[in-house]
Amino acid sequence: DAVLVSAQALIFSLLRVQEMKTRVRGTISISVSSLALPTGFREAISFYRGGDDFGKIRILDEQHFESRLGTDTADDPYSGCPTECTMDGTTAYFNVTTDKAYLYRLWYMGAAAALSGSNTSNYLCTRYAHILEAACKHYAFSHREKNDEATKWLGIMKAGIDAANGEYDLYRQAIQH
């Protein structure tokens, strides 16, 4: 069980493929300057306000976000409509404190539900079984202190992930903008 958990964590830290693309919709509450990100969030793709307030919320790195952030004397962001944000692993931080509730749509790369006794299949088992097998073998051989075999399987896993990520990069390049 620990081997499978470790293998999945390693894979999802490196893999970025079409099956990981996820969209959520929700509401940003009034008088907030942040939003909790969904469970399984890995990295943002795009972020939009919806409804009558439709528009893109630009995702910035923390340096550019902080250099543009306007705050009052209490260091709270000014009130308004969110147009920019930055994100850590769990939270999106807006450039304003919201002046009203806003609908949103967030596209992101997310991890699949972990394999377990109650969840026996996901796209790792179907499309990327070779990557899952290699990661499990890496951890199993590491546990047995067979470092040469562990290193071999880690290399096989990384090659599989590189190939899968490359396929997704080609897919993204083919999309019309």
Side-chain angles (χ1 to χ4, degrees):
D1 195 36
V3 167
L4 182 59
V5 169
S6 296
Q8 289 178 96
L10 178 60
I11 291 167
F12 287 130
S13 73
L14 301 171
L15 189 66
R16 298 293 180 266
V17 292
Q18 181 71 18
E19 291 85 352
M20 296 175 77
K21 228 170 140 176
T22 305
R23 178 183 183 234
V24 294
R25 299 178 337 161
T27 303
I28 304 167
S29 299
I30 188 171
S31 300
V32 299
S33 58
S34 64
L35 176 73
L37 295 171
T39 301
F41 177 90
R42 292 293 180 253
E43 67 185 53
I45 298 171
S46 60
F47 201 4
Y48 293 92
R49 289 183 315 278
D52 293 338
D53 301 299
F54 179 79
K56 188 168 189 168
I57 300 174
R58 292 182 59 206
I59 303 166
L60 305 173
D61 64 40
E62 66 281 353
Q63 182 179 359
H64 288 97
F65 177 80
E66 289 293 335
S67 70
R68 296 174 183 191
L69 184 63
T71 60
D72 60 21
T73 55
D75 201 33
D76 293 322
Y78 293 120
S79 180
C81 174
T83 58
E84 296 176 336
C85 73
T86 194
M87 298 177 182
D88 61 20
T90 60
T91 307
Y93 301 94
F94 300 115
N95 62 325
V96 296
T97 299
T98 53
D99 58 353
K100 65 178 194 172
Y102 290 91
L103 298 174
Y104 75 87
R105 293 188 308 275
L106 172 64
W107 285 91
Y108 67 97
M109 297 302 264
L115 295 168
S116 66
S118 60
N119 181 31
T120 58
S121 185
N122 65 26
Y123 57 83
L124 289 182
C125 296
T126 55
R127 186 159 181 205
Y128 303 106
H130 61 294
I131 294 172
L132 180 60
E133 176 188 10
C136 287
K137 286 182 178 180
H138 162 70
Y139 281 106
F141 283 117
S142 292
H143 179 72
R144 293 182 182 147
E145 297 180 7
K146 294 186 177 185
N147 295 332
D148 290 343
E149 282 294 309
T151 300
K152 173 183 131 182
W153 286 104
L154 181 62
I156 291 169
M157 182 211 67
K158 285 183 178 179
I161 287 175
D162 288 346
N165 287 350
E167 288 174 15
Y168 181 63
D169 289 344
L170 289 174
Y171 162 80
R172 289 185 53 120
Q173 289 173 12
I175 295 173
Q176 299 294 316
H177 294 282

